[in-house]
Amino acid sequence: MRMPVPDETIVARRDDIIDALREAMPGGGLIVDETELKAYECDGLTAYTELPMIVALPEDTEQVAAILRICHEMGVNVVPRGAGTSLSGGAIPRGDAVTLGLARLNRILDIDFDNRAVTAQPGVTNLAITRAVEDRGFYYAPDPSSQIACTIGGNVAENSGGVHCLKYGLTTNNLLGVEMVLMTGERLRLGGKHLDAGGLDLLGVVCGSEGLLGIVTEVTVRILRAPETARALLIGFPSTHAAGDCVARIIGRGIIPAGLEMMDRPAIGAAEAFVKAGYPLDAEALLIVELDGPASEVDELIERVSEIARTLGASTLRASRDEAERQKFWAGRKAAFPATGMISPDYYCMDGTIPRRALPRVLDRINHLSERYRLKVANVFHAGDGNLHPLVLYDANLPGELESAEKFGADILRLCVEFGGVLTGEHGVGLEKRDLMETMFDAVDLEHQQRLKCAFDPDNRLNPGKVFPTLHRCAELGRVHVKRGEVRFPDLPRF
Amino acid sequence: MSEILRPQTADQAREVLAWAAAEEKPVDLRGAGSKHRLGHPVAADIVLETAGLSGISLYEPEELVLTAGAGTPLAEIVATLDAHGQGLAFEPPDLGPLLGAPPDHATLGGVVSCNLAGPRRPTAGAVRDHVLGFHAVSGRGEAFKSGGRVVKNVTGFDLSKLVCGAFGTLGLLTRITVKVLPKPERAVTVTLTGLDMDAAGRAMTRALGSPLAVSGAAHLPDGDPAGGPPLTALRLEGPPSSVAARCQGLGALLSDLGAVGALDEAESADLWTRLRDVAPFVGGDGPLWRISLPPAAGPAVAEAIRARAGGRFLLDWGGGLIWAALPEATDAHAATVRGALAPHGGHATLVRASESQRRAVPVFEPPPGPLAELTRRVRQGFDPKGILNPGRMG
Ligand SMILES: Cc1cc2nc3c(=O)[nH]c(=O)nc-3n(C[C@H](O)[C@H](O)[C@H](O)COP(=O)(O)OP(=O)(O)OC[C@H]3O[C@@H](n4cnc5c(N)ncnc54)[C@H](O)[C@@H]3O)c2cc1C
């Protein structure tokens, strides 16, 4: 991975920048001391670190706007940051940038049960939203595994998903509105408590824009009434092919489970050793299928899925009988990452998506790559939507292993694209996958995306170096190359 | 007379737009023209129709995905999906008849470009929630693509959202991939008769806030058929046993509000299709507004408009969508409608009005200054010469 090279002309002005920011933040919140800056040197992609030039922790939207205005006027880069759990290096600092941390904007502003909407500041954690409404039987559906820590602002920036997004959608499908501040300090509102805001759907592109378009300072999400019941099935198969067939058949029969997860043998082993969830150690693949809704519906669908699993030769088939058992089925899956951390000094989590039915073939190819790179891999998938999380196991203390793991990871992502899939399903491009963008998009595609960036942030100050492999200046992208006097499409039918 | 061009391939479409960009000639983009009267009138000598960009190129039922040319008739897609027990969960409305065009004429590209969704919108999402990827030609005369064919994808900016509801002003869509879903096994409707607007609002809010998974909540203040007592309709979909149990539950939940009844499957399907297509207002000729707002404010805003302008109303999306058919007025009652909406937030679109009204009145909710400026910059990136449906969105 190439780390961005700091612009020395910005670094040289550090003291002036600090003075200007200090004036905008009279109540404190500026971090300039090297030992304190260290706490911000990386995000969830921990193999890479860089000390930020300055960290600013504003206490309200006015301060966010003031900081941005100063950085805009002084020509300073800005890296937005929520909880810093990004797995793609989206929040990795730069030596020439102010890291703008939103953690202190952590209040829930409005809970509106009649309109089924919650408005929160960006630093509120994902789980805190559900916690705020669960006493009335409501919840916020997207549930990334990092939900205790990650912020709703970060979720919007990454368009994060969770195990329940097969049925309930990703962040973007549950987002009603935002307030955001542009690099110039201008404040805007997109959407609100109504649907489909009218005009161009800028809310739709701000979600998932990885901090490149503006700073999100308020988020309105829809909340749902929790389903009456949820039950899970634990299904073991002697082959990944059979498990893949089971996934296809469940969906082919018109059943959309609330969650549909798969783990392969190494992942099952690691999870079982870690949390003793009662997973079958003889299975090559394990499915967790969760069905939710009214009790009568759930019971019926549990029976239908069980029947499919039996027909396909499931070696283990257990349905949760109560809430405790359902939680137990999930415990292993939810702890899959830390569990992997127990069986290997380091692991590298990938995040490609493939068409579901390619699953067994892609797994075979991953196993070949694993032999070639001499690195083990454990696989956990959001099987229902084809989102793979291969965990490449390595030891950073062995010379060259990190580089090998990265090459292996990049090959896995290229494989996903080769099979009709994409580079990232929910973790974002960030710094990590930036240089792979050209495997999916040609130059014209990327230029059209970058012009959107130009409309929001023409000087490219917000999170520079992320997402786009090559940077064109906006003035250059804006030019129209006309070829006049061409023959006027003689072959076209006219009426 | 304008010249009508029908490119047969995406590459031909690109040639046309490259030429138009070079010559700075505005182009009126159309599918089959069923919603051609939606939006501001476009002044262009060239009409580009997508009829030649037709056909389903990929449909994998078990993958829940379908790819088709932008000019593919929606009816063809719906029939293909239907044969596999699947459908488009966003329930695309057929607004042709409402806008003076024949029924069943819409194309996929047109539905996507207008981001139209039916009664299931609050629970299943809009078109924009179901478009997975697309190919298009921008106003620069360049072919580009975004997204893919898988549901979970955060690779790069989500331009698929942006082109939904852009009314062709960012590019000519040539090929679109959508997520499809199994159709519910059964759908029935629980009704309440005789509620006033306010009580209907409370009924819908209570139903949508319950765990009974209501997939449609509408109120017809003029009854169904029109002239009868007000009718409030709540749809339940799913496996038969579940639907039956929830039907009972919903009846019990709402029994204190009024007389509870039920529609059988056929009656239910008919009602929701007519609501989807705004059938009660087909054939009228006064201004017709489509107002999207916070659902709990629906009854109050409808009453406020009625008090000042009269007219007839339909509430859908649990109150979050008002269709208001108003009597003639020079400004089409824009000041009344937008004034009533302003305290609550939302947007009002003048869906049907005379051409002169559509020239004079902002059809779409005018965005506040900074947002208008940002929108202009975004559009300029895709269409620097302003050749794509210029002025259609205002
Ligand atoms: C153990 C673990 C499990 C995880 N599981 C999942 C999972 O199941 N599903 C999933 O999708 N992700 C998962 N993630 C990834 C990560 O948690 C999500 O991407 C999350 O949304 C990031 O939120 P954050 O607050 O930590 O943002 P950060 O990491 O701080 O930032 C992420 C990006 O958002 C930008 N940003 C942050 N806040 C704002 C703002 N207010 N305005 C504008 N831009 C902003 C940053 O610049 C950066 O580009 C996991 C991570 C870990 C460590």
Side-chain angles (χ1 to χ4, degrees):
Chain A
M1 205 171 84
R2 286 186 290 139
M3 291 291 275
V5 182
D7 178 343
E8 289 305 330
T9 66
I10 300 178
V11 180
R13 289 180 284 129
R14 183 172 185 261
D15 290 345
D16 294 344
I17 299 163
I18 292 172
D19 288 346
L21 290 175
R22 207 161 254 150
E23 215 164 303
M25 302 171 69
L30 211 59
I31 298 175
V32 297
D33 178 76
E34 193 175 323
T35 45
E36 285 178 71
L37 286 173
K38 203 115 176 81
Y40 294 86
E41 68 178 2
C42 70
D43 62 8
L45 187 65
T46 47
Y48 292 87
T49 59
E50 173 86 58
L51 217 54
M53 179 172 71
I54 300 164
V55 172
L57 304 172
E59 57 192 26
D60 56 26
T61 306
E62 279 74 38
Q63 287 195 358
V64 172
I67 293 164
L68 289 176
R69 210 173 299 118
I70 289 166
C71 291
H72 170 65
E73 279 160 11
M74 298 185 81
V76 182
N77 295 324
V78 173
V79 176
R81 183 182 183 96
T85 65
S86 167
L87 291 173
S88 56
I92 288 184
R94 292 174 59 112
D96 61 4
V98 174
T99 283
L100 181 57
L102 282 311
R104 288 167 75 197
L105 274 73
N106 60 359
R107 279 183 306 127
I108 291 183
L109 302 173
D110 176 48
I111 299 175
D112 182 345
F113 288 106
D114 281 354
N115 285 308
R116 298 171 295 280
V118 167
T119 301
Q121 290 188 315
V124 170
T125 62
N126 172 293
L127 190 61
I129 296 182
T130 291
R131 289 284 177 260
V133 296
E134 64 190 354
D135 61 321
R136 292 269 302 263
F138 284 80
Y139 75 116
Y140 173 61
D143 55 344
S145 315
S146 50
Q147 69 183 149
I148 307 174
C150 66
T151 66
I152 192 68
N155 290 177
V156 170
E158 299 284 14
N159 187 15
S160 302
V163 295
H164 287 101
C165 59
L166 176 62
K167 185 167 173 186
Y168 296 103
L170 303 150
T171 304
T172 188
N173 312 107
N174 292 277
L175 179 66
L176 294 170
V178 297
E179 179 200 57
M180 68 188 288
V181 185
L182 300 184
M183 191 61 210
T184 52
E186 240 175 332
R187 287 163 74 162
L188 292 175
R189 275 189 186 279
L190 304 174
K193 287 183 189 171
H194 56 290
L195 297 168
D196 306 333
L200 292 183
D201 189 355
L202 299 180
L203 182 64
V205 279
V206 164
C207 190
S209 62
E210 303 196 21
L212 266 69
L213 300 184
I215 303 292
V216 173
T217 48
E218 234 179 78
V219 180
T220 302
V221 293
R222 70 166 181 171
I223 49 169
L224 301 175
R225 183 66 193 257
E228 198 179 285
T229 20
R231 287 181 70 195
L233 281 163
L234 200 64
I235 313 173
F237 282 102
S239 76
T240 52
H241 288 256
D245 287 346
C246 186
V247 170
R249 200 164 301 177
I250 292 169
I251 288 165
R253 294 276 166 85
I255 301 169
I256 305 291
L260 181 43
E261 297 289 307
M262 194 196 286
M263 298 164 78
D264 72 355
R265 193 182 188 108
I268 300 167
E272 184 56 22
F274 192 56
V275 298
K276 307 262 176 308
Y279 290 173
L281 293 170
D282 60 337
E284 283 299 322
L286 184 71
L287 292 182
I288 303 175
V289 187
E290 178 156 298
L291 294 146
D292 70 4
S296 56
E297 174 171 335
V298 170
D299 292 347
E300 181 172 335
L301 295 180
I302 286 274
E303 208 23 69
R304 287 194 210 172
V305 173
S306 302
E307 187 51 42
I308 293 170
R310 265 182 232 115
T311 315
L312 291 169
S315 48
T316 303
L317 178 60
R318 296 211 301 270
S320 67
R321 283 157 300 187
D322 52 34
E323 183 56 19
E325 192 168 23
R326 183 183 77 90
Q327 298 283 5
K328 196 170 168 207
F329 287 179
W330 277 111
R333 167 63 185 86
K334 290 204 167 158
F337 293 4
T340 306
M342 300 300 285
I343 60 167
S344 168
D346 298 283
Y347 67 91
Y348 181 35
C349 173
M350 309 311 297
D351 170 48
T353 306
I354 52 168
R356 268 181 293 269
R357 71 186 160 94
L359 213 65
R361 281 176 296 152
V362 170
L363 266 187
D364 287 346
R365 292 273 296 273
I366 290 177
N367 287 334
H368 287 148
L369 286 170
S370 164
E371 282 162 27
R372 173 140 66 90
Y373 283 100
R374 294 172 206 279
L375 289 173
K376 290 210 175 74
V377 58
N379 286 292
V380 295
F381 313 125
H382 303 302
D385 37 33
N387 187 194
L388 315 183
H389 291 318
L391 305 166
V392 177
L393 313 185
Y394 71 99
D395 183 349
N397 289 327
L398 298 178
E401 278 228 332
L402 169 63
E403 291 71 23
S404 287
E406 282 187 343
K407 285 206 185 95
F408 184 5
D411 278 351
I412 292 175
L413 297 183
R414 287 191 193 96
L415 195 60
C416 292
V417 176
E418 182 190 324
F419 277 84
V422 300
L423 296 173
T424 171
E426 58 180 13
H427 293 168
V429 176
L431 204 52
E432 184 205 17
K433 292 175 271 278
R434 180 190 65 192
D435 293 333
L436 290 171
M437 285 287 271
E438 279 144 343
T439 59
M440 248 180 91
F441 298 114
D442 64 25
V444 176
D445 301 335
L446 289 172
E447 283 165 16
H448 277 84
Q449 293 195 27
Q450 281 190 43
R451 287 194 196 93
L452 187 73
K453 164 77 168 164
C454 292
F456 281 81
D457 175 26
D459 298 337
N460 188 35
R461 288 293 173 208
L462 273 171
N463 222 358
K466 315 284 168 70
V467 181
F468 294 111
T470 32
L471 270 178
H472 301 282
R473 299 172 67 85
C474 288
E476 184 192 318
L477 281 168
R479 257 177 237 135
V480 190
H481 305 279
V482 291
K483 278 188 279 164
R484 296 184 74 110
E486 270 183 67
V487 190
R488 202 168 157 262
F489 32 91
D491 305 331
L492 210 66
R494 281 152 216 269
F495 301 85
Chain B
M1 259 312 275
S2 43
E3 184 179 19
I4 300 177
L5 299 172
R6 287 195 192 136
Q8 300 300 301
T9 62
D11 205 47
Q12 283 182 348
R14 188 193 51 72
E15 277 177 38
V16 172
L17 293 182
W19 171 84
E23 301 294 326
E24 302 192 22
K25 292 263 194 233
V27 184
D28 184 344
L29 307 179
R30 287 191 204 173
S34 69
K35 290 175 283 290
H36 160 232
R37 291 190 191 84
L38 178 50
H40 292 280
V42 172
D45 293 335
I46 300 169
V47 174
L48 193 161
E49 290 188 349
T50 59
L53 308 173
S54 177
I56 297 172
S57 52
L58 175 145
Y59 174 36
E60 294 176 3
E62 289 183 353
E63 295 286 322
L64 305 178
V65 62
L66 177 143
T67 304
T72 312
L74 191 65
E76 179 183 333
I77 292 172
V78 170
T80 304
L81 295 175
D82 205 53
H84 287 85
Q86 296 188 334
L88 298 168
F90 54 89
E91 287 184 290
D94 181 5
L95 295 190
L98 193 70
L99 298 167
D104 280 338
H105 249 56
T107 62
L108 178 63
V111 166
V112 168
S113 295
C114 300
N115 192 35
L116 290 168
R120 217 183 274 119
R121 167 65 182 100
T123 50
V127 180
R128 50 98 78 183
D129 298 293
H130 294 80
V131 173
L132 302 179
F134 69 89
H135 288 247
V137 181
S138 70
R140 317 177 73 89
E142 295 172 344
F144 71 105
K145 64 178 180 298
S146 180
R149 52 158 293 182
V150 291
V151 186
K152 261 177 113 179
N153 178 9
V154 293
T155 322
F157 293 145
D158 195 356
L159 300 185
S160 302
K161 298 277 181 306
L162 197 60
V163 296
C164 289
F167 286 81
T169 61
L170 301 180
L172 171 79
L173 296 172
T174 54
R175 191 166 13 128
I176 301 161
T177 299
V178 288
K179 166 180 160 185
V180 302
L181 280 171
K183 287 208 295 193
E185 285 171 59
R186 174 161 303 171
V188 301
T189 297
V190 171
T191 59
L192 285 162
T193 310
L195 301 193
D196 64 20
M197 206 88 90
D198 196 49
R202 272 182 286 131
M204 294 192 287
T205 300
R206 205 191 282 177
L208 285 167
S210 80
L212 296 168
V214 170
S215 74
H219 179 62
L220 298 85
D222 302 318
D224 184 53
L231 182 78
T232 312
L234 301 156
R235 181 171 60 181
L236 296 167
E237 298 175 305
S241 62
S242 155
V243 168
R246 282 184 289 149
C247 215
Q248 280 208 329
L250 194 56
L253 183 73
L254 303 174
S255 60
D256 63 315
L257 292 173
V260 177
L263 303 182
D264 68 21
E265 274 209 87
E267 291 165 335
S268 174
D270 176 62
L271 174 68
W272 292 102
T273 304
R274 284 183 295 116
L275 280 168
R276 183 195 73 186
D277 298 344
V278 208
F281 298 155
V282 168
D285 48 12
L288 180 67
W289 289 88
R290 182 180 189 270
I291 305 163
S292 171
L293 73 173
V301 169
E303 288 295 11
I305 297 171
R306 175 147 68 188
R308 300 200 50 179
R312 295 194 292 139
F313 297 82
L314 281 182
L315 269 60
D316 199 349
W317 300 0
L321 177 69
I322 302 172
W323 288 97
L326 304 182
E328 276 304 347
T330 34
D331 80 334
H333 300 286
T336 299
V337 170
R338 293 198 164 121
L341 184 59
H344 304 278
H347 64 104
T349 309
L350 180 56
V351 167
R352 184 178 65 198
S354 68
E355 194 168 320
S356 60
Q357 275 172 328
R358 284 185 289 124
R359 279 185 209 290
V361 177
V363 167
F364 299 95
E365 192 74 33
L371 185 53
E373 181 48 31
L374 178 62
T375 300
R376 189 194 61 74
R377 294 199 300 268
V378 168
R379 200 171 268 137
Q380 191 177 16
F382 289 86
D383 181 21
K385 302 286 183 186
I387 60 162
L388 301 174
N389 284 348
R392 179 133 186 211
M393 291 187 83

